[in-house]
mmCIF file of all heavy atoms in Angstrom:
data_model
loop_
_atom_site.group_PDB
_atom_site.id
_atom_site.type_symbol
_atom_site.label_atom_id
_atom_site.label_comp_id
_atom_site.label_asym_id
_atom_site.label_seq_id
_atom_site.Cartn_x
_atom_site.Cartn_y
_atom_site.Cartn_z
ATOM 1 N N ALA B 303 90.259 -172.532 143.490
ATOM 2 C CA ALA B 303 89.797 -173.528 144.452
ATOM 3 C C ALA B 303 88.545 -174.272 144.016
ATOM 4 O O ALA B 303 88.380 -175.440 144.360
ATOM 5 C CB ALA B 303 89.573 -172.861 145.809
ATOM 6 N N LEU B 304 87.647 -173.612 143.281
ATOM 7 C CA LEU B 304 86.359 -174.259 143.021
ATOM 8 C C LEU B 304 86.488 -175.627 142.333
ATOM 9 O O LEU B 304 85.904 -176.602 142.811
ATOM 10 C CB LEU B 304 85.442 -173.317 142.236
ATOM 11 C CG LEU B 304 84.046 -173.845 141.957
ATOM 12 C CD1 LEU B 304 82.982 -172.808 142.238
ATOM 13 C CD2 LEU B 304 83.903 -174.338 140.545
ATOM 14 N N PRO B 305 87.256 -175.749 141.240
ATOM 15 C CA PRO B 305 87.356 -177.082 140.648
ATOM 16 C C PRO B 305 87.942 -178.101 141.619
ATOM 17 O O PRO B 305 87.480 -179.243 141.672
ATOM 18 C CB PRO B 305 88.285 -176.862 139.444
ATOM 19 C CG PRO B 305 88.156 -175.420 139.126
ATOM 20 C CD PRO B 305 87.960 -174.733 140.437
ATOM 21 N N LEU B 306 88.929 -177.686 142.415
ATOM 22 C CA LEU B 306 89.500 -178.611 143.394
ATOM 23 C C LEU B 306 88.454 -179.022 144.423
ATOM 24 O O LEU B 306 88.376 -180.180 144.839
ATOM 25 C CB LEU B 306 90.690 -177.955 144.110
ATOM 26 C CG LEU B 306 91.936 -177.696 143.275
ATOM 27 C CD1 LEU B 306 92.885 -176.769 144.005
ATOM 28 C CD2 LEU B 306 92.636 -179.006 142.960
ATOM 29 N N MET B 307 87.628 -178.053 144.835
ATOM 30 C CA MET B 307 86.673 -178.335 145.906
ATOM 31 C C MET B 307 85.569 -179.276 145.463
ATOM 32 O O MET B 307 84.933 -179.926 146.299
ATOM 33 C CB MET B 307 86.046 -177.028 146.406
ATOM 34 C CG MET B 307 87.042 -176.146 147.133
ATOM 35 S SD MET B 307 86.361 -174.523 147.413
ATOM 36 C CE MET B 307 85.898 -174.661 149.114
ATOM 37 N N ILE B 308 85.278 -179.318 144.165
ATOM 38 C CA ILE B 308 84.237 -180.250 143.719
ATOM 39 C C ILE B 308 84.864 -181.465 143.043
ATOM 40 O O ILE B 308 84.164 -182.283 142.454
ATOM 41 C CB ILE B 308 83.213 -179.583 142.776
ATOM 42 C CG1 ILE B 308 83.885 -179.091 141.497
ATOM 43 C CG2 ILE B 308 82.503 -178.434 143.470
ATOM 44 C CD1 ILE B 308 82.883 -178.634 140.455
ATOM 45 N N GLY B 309 86.173 -181.585 143.124
ATOM 46 C CA GLY B 309 86.825 -182.771 142.571
ATOM 47 C C GLY B 309 86.873 -182.808 141.060
ATOM 48 O O GLY B 309 86.859 -183.875 140.461
ATOM 49 N N ALA B 310 86.935 -181.640 140.411
ATOM 50 C CA ALA B 310 86.992 -181.601 138.950
ATOM 51 C C ALA B 310 88.432 -181.424 138.485
ATOM 52 O O ALA B 310 89.278 -180.941 139.230
ATOM 53 C CB ALA B 310 86.136 -180.454 138.424
ATOM 54 N N ARG B 311 88.679 -181.813 137.252
ATOM 55 C CA ARG B 311 90.043 -181.651 136.725
ATOM 56 C C ARG B 311 90.295 -180.249 136.201
ATOM 57 O O ARG B 311 91.420 -179.809 136.082
ATOM 58 C CB ARG B 311 90.292 -182.648 135.611
ATOM 59 C CG ARG B 311 90.429 -184.060 136.135
ATOM 60 C CD ARG B 311 90.672 -185.037 134.991
ATOM 61 N NE ARG B 311 90.647 -186.398 135.495
ATOM 62 C CZ ARG B 311 91.733 -186.983 136.013
ATOM 63 N NH1 ARG B 311 92.873 -186.347 136.058
ATOM 64 N NH2 ARG B 311 91.648 -188.221 136.462
ATOM 65 N N ASP B 312 89.250 -179.553 135.852
ATOM 66 C CA ASP B 312 89.405 -178.162 135.396
ATOM 67 C C ASP B 312 88.009 -177.562 135.323
ATOM 68 O O ASP B 312 87.032 -178.216 135.690
ATOM 69 C CB ASP B 312 90.095 -178.100 134.025
ATOM 70 C CG ASP B 312 90.810 -176.757 133.834
ATOM 71 O OD1 ASP B 312 90.246 -175.727 134.251
ATOM 72 O OD2 ASP B 312 91.920 -176.734 133.288
ATOM 73 N N LEU B 313 87.906 -176.336 134.845
ATOM 74 C CA LEU B 313 86.587 -175.779 134.599
ATOM 75 C C LEU B 313 86.001 -176.425 133.332
ATOM 76 O O LEU B 313 86.716 -177.079 132.571
ATOM 77 C CB LEU B 313 86.672 -174.261 134.400
ATOM 78 C CG LEU B 313 86.971 -173.445 135.655
ATOM 79 C CD1 LEU B 313 87.050 -171.970 135.321
ATOM 80 C CD2 LEU B 313 85.903 -173.674 136.717
ATOM 81 N N ALA B 314 84.708 -176.182 133.101
ATOM 82 C CA ALA B 314 84.060 -176.818 131.959
ATOM 83 C C ALA B 314 84.645 -176.337 130.638
ATOM 84 O O ALA B 314 84.782 -177.105 129.696
ATOM 85 C CB ALA B 314 82.553 -176.562 131.994
ATOM 86 N N PHE B 315 84.971 -175.055 130.544
ATOM 87 C CA PHE B 315 85.484 -174.500 129.286
ATOM 88 C C PHE B 315 86.824 -173.803 129.535
ATOM 89 O O PHE B 315 86.877 -172.576 129.678
ATOM 90 C CB PHE B 315 84.494 -173.506 128.696
ATOM 91 C CG PHE B 315 83.101 -174.055 128.526
ATOM 92 C CD1 PHE B 315 82.042 -173.490 129.214
ATOM 93 C CD2 PHE B 315 82.855 -175.127 127.692
ATOM 94 C CE1 PHE B 315 80.752 -173.983 129.068
ATOM 95 C CE2 PHE B 315 81.574 -175.632 127.535
ATOM 96 C CZ PHE B 315 80.526 -175.069 128.221
ATOM 97 N N PRO B 316 87.920 -174.562 129.539
ATOM 98 C CA PRO B 316 89.220 -173.973 129.886
ATOM 99 C C PRO B 316 89.651 -172.853 128.937
ATOM 100 O O PRO B 316 90.239 -171.858 129.375
ATOM 101 C CB PRO B 316 90.178 -175.143 129.798
ATOM 102 C CG PRO B 316 89.337 -176.353 129.892
ATOM 103 C CD PRO B 316 88.009 -175.998 129.318
ATOM 104 N N ARG B 317 89.333 -173.011 127.639
ATOM 105 C CA ARG B 317 89.781 -171.967 126.706
ATOM 106 C C ARG B 317 89.015 -170.678 126.929
ATOM 107 O O ARG B 317 89.561 -169.585 126.853
ATOM 108 C CB ARG B 317 89.589 -172.437 125.269
ATOM 109 C CG ARG B 317 90.832 -173.098 124.714
ATOM 110 C CD ARG B 317 90.772 -173.115 123.219
ATOM 111 N NE ARG B 317 89.907 -174.192 122.756
ATOM 112 C CZ ARG B 317 89.569 -174.352 121.477
ATOM 113 N NH1 ARG B 317 89.995 -173.500 120.577
ATOM 114 N NH2 ARG B 317 88.786 -175.349 121.129
ATOM 115 N N LEU B 318 87.731 -170.817 127.235
ATOM 116 C CA LEU B 318 86.910 -169.646 127.528
ATOM 117 C C LEU B 318 87.446 -168.942 128.779
ATOM 118 O O LEU B 318 87.433 -167.714 128.879
ATOM 119 C CB LEU B 318 85.462 -170.096 127.748
ATOM 120 C CG LEU B 318 84.438 -168.995 127.981
ATOM 121 C CD1 LEU B 318 84.297 -168.152 126.729
ATOM 122 C CD2 LEU B 318 83.088 -169.583 128.368
ATOM 123 N N ASN B 319 87.947 -169.738 129.704
ATOM 124 C CA ASN B 319 88.498 -169.177 130.930
ATOM 125 C C ASN B 319 89.699 -168.283 130.631
ATOM 126 O O ASN B 319 89.803 -167.160 131.132
ATOM 127 C CB ASN B 319 88.903 -170.333 131.855
ATOM 128 C CG ASN B 319 89.121 -169.896 133.283
ATOM 129 O OD1 ASN B 319 88.635 -168.831 133.689
ATOM 130 N ND2 ASN B 319 89.837 -170.691 134.046
ATOM 131 N N LEU B 320 90.580 -168.776 129.772
ATOM 132 C CA LEU B 320 91.742 -167.960 129.401
ATOM 133 C C LEU B 320 91.280 -166.708 128.660
ATOM 134 O O LEU B 320 91.754 -165.601 128.928
ATOM 135 C CB LEU B 320 92.693 -168.781 128.528
ATOM 136 C CG LEU B 320 93.969 -168.044 128.116
ATOM 137 C CD1 LEU B 320 94.825 -167.721 129.321
ATOM 138 C CD2 LEU B 320 94.774 -168.865 127.116
ATOM 139 N N LEU B 321 90.315 -166.885 127.755
ATOM 140 C CA LEU B 321 89.790 -165.739 127.014
ATOM 141 C C LEU B 321 89.257 -164.691 127.983
ATOM 142 O O LEU B 321 89.464 -163.486 127.799
ATOM 143 C CB LEU B 321 88.682 -166.191 126.069
ATOM 144 C CG LEU B 321 87.952 -165.063 125.339
ATOM 145 C CD1 LEU B 321 88.870 -164.413 124.320
ATOM 146 C CD2 LEU B 321 86.681 -165.557 124.660
ATOM 147 N N SER B 322 88.586 -165.134 129.048
ATOM 148 C CA SER B 322 88.008 -164.117 129.921
ATOM 149 C C SER B 322 89.098 -163.383 130.688
ATOM 150 O O SER B 322 88.926 -162.214 131.020
ATOM 151 C CB SER B 322 86.902 -164.671 130.813
ATOM 152 O OG SER B 322 87.382 -165.615 131.689
ATOM 153 N N TRP B 323 90.243 -164.014 130.924
ATOM 154 C CA TRP B 323 91.333 -163.238 131.524
ATOM 155 C C TRP B 323 91.836 -162.172 130.549
ATOM 156 O O TRP B 323 92.053 -161.026 130.926
ATOM 157 C CB TRP B 323 92.513 -164.110 131.964
ATOM 158 C CG TRP B 323 93.592 -163.255 132.552
ATOM 159 C CD1 TRP B 323 93.572 -162.653 133.783
ATOM 160 C CD2 TRP B 323 94.810 -162.825 131.921
ATOM 161 N NE1 TRP B 323 94.698 -161.883 133.954
ATOM 162 C CE2 TRP B 323 95.474 -161.967 132.830
ATOM 163 C CE3 TRP B 323 95.391 -163.080 130.683
ATOM 164 C CZ2 TRP B 323 96.702 -161.372 132.545
ATOM 165 C CZ3 TRP B 323 96.615 -162.476 130.397
ATOM 166 C CH2 TRP B 323 97.260 -161.632 131.315
ATOM 167 N N TYR B 324 91.958 -162.558 129.266
ATOM 168 C CA TYR B 324 92.415 -161.562 128.290
ATOM 169 C C TYR B 324 91.421 -160.406 128.179
ATOM 170 O O TYR B 324 91.815 -159.238 128.047
ATOM 171 C CB TYR B 324 92.668 -162.208 126.924
ATOM 172 C CG TYR B 324 94.057 -162.808 126.849
ATOM 173 C CD1 TYR B 324 94.266 -164.167 127.037
ATOM 174 C CD2 TYR B 324 95.157 -161.994 126.641
ATOM 175 C CE1 TYR B 324 95.539 -164.706 127.003
ATOM 176 C CE2 TYR B 324 96.437 -162.522 126.606
ATOM 177 C CZ TYR B 324 96.622 -163.873 126.783
ATOM 178 O OH TYR B 324 97.882 -164.389 126.764
ATOM 179 N N LEU B 325 90.128 -160.736 128.235
ATOM 180 C CA LEU B 325 89.138 -159.658 128.195
ATOM 181 C C LEU B 325 89.300 -158.757 129.403
ATOM 182 O O LEU B 325 89.256 -157.522 129.304
ATOM 183 C CB LEU B 325 87.724 -160.246 128.167
ATOM 184 C CG LEU B 325 87.279 -160.870 126.856
ATOM 185 C CD1 LEU B 325 85.923 -161.529 127.011
ATOM 186 C CD2 LEU B 325 87.213 -159.811 125.765
ATOM 187 N N TYR B 326 89.491 -159.383 130.566
ATOM 188 C CA TYR B 326 89.670 -158.597 131.779
ATOM 189 C C TYR B 326 90.875 -157.669 131.641
ATOM 190 O O TYR B 326 90.776 -156.458 131.875
ATOM 191 C CB TYR B 326 89.843 -159.513 133.000
ATOM 192 C CG TYR B 326 90.312 -158.766 134.208
ATOM 193 C CD1 TYR B 326 89.423 -157.984 134.941
ATOM 194 C CD2 TYR B 326 91.645 -158.790 134.595
ATOM 195 C CE1 TYR B 326 89.852 -157.248 136.024
ATOM 196 C CE2 TYR B 326 92.085 -158.069 135.674
ATOM 197 C CZ TYR B 326 91.186 -157.299 136.390
ATOM 198 O OH TYR B 326 91.630 -156.564 137.452
ATOM 199 N N ALA B 327 92.002 -158.249 131.241
ATOM 200 C CA ALA B 327 93.222 -157.450 131.156
ATOM 201 C C ALA B 327 93.065 -156.356 130.092
ATOM 202 O O ALA B 327 93.454 -155.197 130.310
ATOM 203 C CB ALA B 327 94.415 -158.347 130.837
ATOM 204 N N GLY B 328 92.458 -156.722 128.958
ATOM 205 C CA GLY B 328 92.271 -155.737 127.887
ATOM 206 C C GLY B 328 91.369 -154.596 128.322
ATOM 207 O O GLY B 328 91.688 -153.418 128.135
ATOM 208 N N GLY B 329 90.235 -154.939 128.935
ATOM 209 C CA GLY B 329 89.321 -153.905 129.407
ATOM 210 C C GLY B 329 89.994 -153.010 130.439
ATOM 211 O O GLY B 329 89.844 -151.787 130.422
ATOM 212 N N GLY B 330 90.761 -153.641 131.327
ATOM 213 C CA GLY B 330 91.487 -152.865 132.325
ATOM 214 C C GLY B 330 92.437 -151.875 131.668
ATOM 215 O O GLY B 330 92.539 -150.718 132.095
ATOM 216 N N LEU B 331 93.094 -152.316 130.594
ATOM 217 C CA LEU B 331 94.045 -151.416 129.939
ATOM 218 C C LEU B 331 93.330 -150.223 129.294
ATOM 219 O O LEU B 331 93.864 -149.107 129.292
ATOM 220 C CB LEU B 331 94.865 -152.179 128.900
ATOM 221 C CG LEU B 331 95.862 -153.170 129.519
ATOM 222 C CD1 LEU B 331 96.657 -153.881 128.440
ATOM 223 C CD2 LEU B 331 96.803 -152.465 130.505
ATOM 224 N N PHE B 332 92.140 -150.442 128.766
ATOM 225 C CA PHE B 332 91.354 -149.316 128.240
ATOM 226 C C PHE B 332 91.147 -148.269 129.340
ATOM 227 O O PHE B 332 91.300 -147.070 129.108
ATOM 228 C CB PHE B 332 89.974 -149.794 127.779
ATOM 229 C CG PHE B 332 89.909 -150.146 126.338
ATOM 230 C CD1 PHE B 332 90.450 -151.335 125.883
ATOM 231 C CD2 PHE B 332 89.305 -149.289 125.435
ATOM 232 C CE1 PHE B 332 90.390 -151.667 124.548
ATOM 233 C CE2 PHE B 332 89.248 -149.612 124.092
ATOM 234 C CZ PHE B 332 89.784 -150.804 123.654
ATOM 235 N N THR B 333 90.778 -148.761 130.505
ATOM 236 C CA THR B 333 90.509 -147.839 131.605
ATOM 237 C C THR B 333 91.767 -147.092 132.006
ATOM 238 O O THR B 333 91.739 -145.889 132.266
ATOM 239 C CB THR B 333 89.959 -148.633 132.798
ATOM 240 O OG1 THR B 333 89.070 -149.611 132.300
ATOM 241 C CG2 THR B 333 89.249 -147.743 133.763
ATOM 242 N N ILE B 334 92.875 -147.815 132.034
ATOM 243 C CA ILE B 334 94.140 -147.169 132.386
ATOM 244 C C ILE B 334 94.499 -146.135 131.315
ATOM 245 O O ILE B 334 94.968 -145.032 131.623
ATOM 246 C CB ILE B 334 95.267 -148.221 132.513
ATOM 247 C CG1 ILE B 334 94.964 -149.182 133.663
ATOM 248 C CG2 ILE B 334 96.614 -147.544 132.720
ATOM 249 C CD1 ILE B 334 94.977 -148.559 135.015
ATOM 250 N N ALA B 335 94.245 -146.497 130.056
ATOM 251 C CA ALA B 335 94.528 -145.547 128.976
ATOM 252 C C ALA B 335 93.724 -144.265 129.176
ATOM 253 O O ALA B 335 94.255 -143.159 129.058
ATOM 254 C CB ALA B 335 94.197 -146.179 127.624
ATOM 255 N N ALA B 336 92.444 -144.419 129.527
ATOM 256 C CA ALA B 336 91.616 -143.239 129.769
ATOM 257 C C ALA B 336 92.212 -142.410 130.892
ATOM 258 O O ALA B 336 92.236 -141.176 130.846
ATOM 259 C CB ALA B 336 90.196 -143.663 130.120
ATOM 260 N N LEU B 337 92.728 -143.105 131.896
ATOM 261 C CA LEU B 337 93.319 -142.418 133.041
ATOM 262 C C LEU B 337 94.557 -141.635 132.611
ATOM 263 O O LEU B 337 94.741 -140.464 132.962
ATOM 264 C CB LEU B 337 93.687 -143.470 134.091
ATOM 265 C CG LEU B 337 93.993 -142.991 135.488
ATOM 266 C CD1 LEU B 337 92.770 -142.328 136.068
ATOM 267 C CD2 LEU B 337 94.423 -144.168 136.353
ATOM 268 N N LEU B 338 95.391 -142.275 131.797
ATOM 269 C CA LEU B 338 96.643 -141.631 131.381
ATOM 270 C C LEU B 338 96.370 -140.454 130.464
ATOM 271 O O LEU B 338 97.116 -139.474 130.448
ATOM 272 C CB LEU B 338 97.548 -142.644 130.671
ATOM 273 C CG LEU B 338 98.101 -143.748 131.575
ATOM 274 C CD1 LEU B 338 98.965 -144.706 130.768
ATOM 275 C CD2 LEU B 338 98.895 -143.164 132.729
ATOM 276 N N LEU B 339 95.289 -140.542 129.675
ATOM 277 C CA LEU B 339 94.976 -139.447 128.761
ATOM 278 C C LEU B 339 94.345 -138.260 129.483
ATOM 279 O O LEU B 339 94.022 -137.260 128.859
ATOM 280 C CB LEU B 339 94.031 -139.945 127.674
ATOM 281 C CG LEU B 339 94.657 -140.913 126.675
ATOM 282 C CD1 LEU B 339 93.600 -141.488 125.750
ATOM 283 C CD2 LEU B 339 95.738 -140.209 125.858
ATOM 284 N N GLY B 340 94.113 -138.390 130.770
ATOM 285 C CA GLY B 340 93.544 -137.267 131.502
ATOM 286 C C GLY B 340 92.368 -137.631 132.388
ATOM 287 O O GLY B 340 91.913 -136.816 133.170
#
Side-chain angles (χ1 to χ4, degrees):
Chain B
L304 183 135
L306 292 167
M307 292 169 101
I308 62 171
R311 288 180 187 274
D312 205 321
L313 288 179
F315 306 118
R317 267 199 281 173
L318 184 66
N319 196 20
L320 182 64
L321 174 69
S322 64
W323 179 74
Y324 275 99
L325 286 174
Y326 168 77
L331 290 181
F332 267 76
T333 320
I334 296 294
L337 195 62
L338 292 179
L339 290 173

